[in-house]
């Protein structure tokens, strides 16, 4: 499909997600506890996708590759090595903001 309002249902049904390294795509997938392979777009200037993918990989949450190495990654992947992504803690961020603006 070219456009879909929400991928939530597809993500819930997926056994594996292969995605670009957009922050929203990565976080939405990881928050649902799905294994993720991130495919880097090497043509982007100042490649923030590569930075995000590398950090998530260093933390043990994703595998990453580029288009030319995707098949190799699929053939050699061991999804059991991936660590669950920790849940968000918005209350900590709210407390931090309160402190910064002087509400505490």
């Amino acid at each position: 499909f070219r456009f879909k309002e929400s991928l939530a249902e597809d993500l819930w049904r997926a056994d594996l997600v292969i995605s670009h390294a957009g922050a929203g795509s990565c976080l939405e997938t990881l928050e649902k506890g799905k294994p993720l392979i991130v495919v880097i777009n090497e043509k982007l200037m100042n490649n923030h996708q590569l930075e995000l993918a590398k950090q998530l990989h260093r933390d043990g949450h994703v595998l990453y590759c580029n288009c030319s190495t995707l098949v190799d990654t699929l053939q050699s992947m061991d999804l059991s090595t991936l660590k669950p992504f920790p849940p968000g803690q918005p209350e900590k961020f709210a407390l931090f903001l309160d402190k910064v603006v002087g509400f505490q």
Side-chain angles (χ1 to χ4, degrees), residues 91-104:
E91 63 282 351
K92 285 188 176 181
F93 184 66
L95 289 172
F96 169 76
L97 283 181
D98 285 349
K99 194 174 195 175
V100 168
V101 297
F103 291 141
Q104 281 187 338

Side-chain angles (χ1 to χ4, degrees), residues 68-87:
S68 63
T69 60
L70 176 58
V71 172
D72 291 335
T73 301
L74 288 167
Q75 291 172 339
S76 65
M77 70 183 180
D78 180 359
L79 299 177
S80 70
T81 64
L82 297 179
K83 298 176 186 174
F85 192 72

Side-chain angles (χ1 to χ4, degrees), residues 3 9-10 29 39 41-42 69:
F3 176 78
E9 186 178 325
D10 299 292
T29 301
V39 180
N41 181 349
E42 295 175 314
T69 60

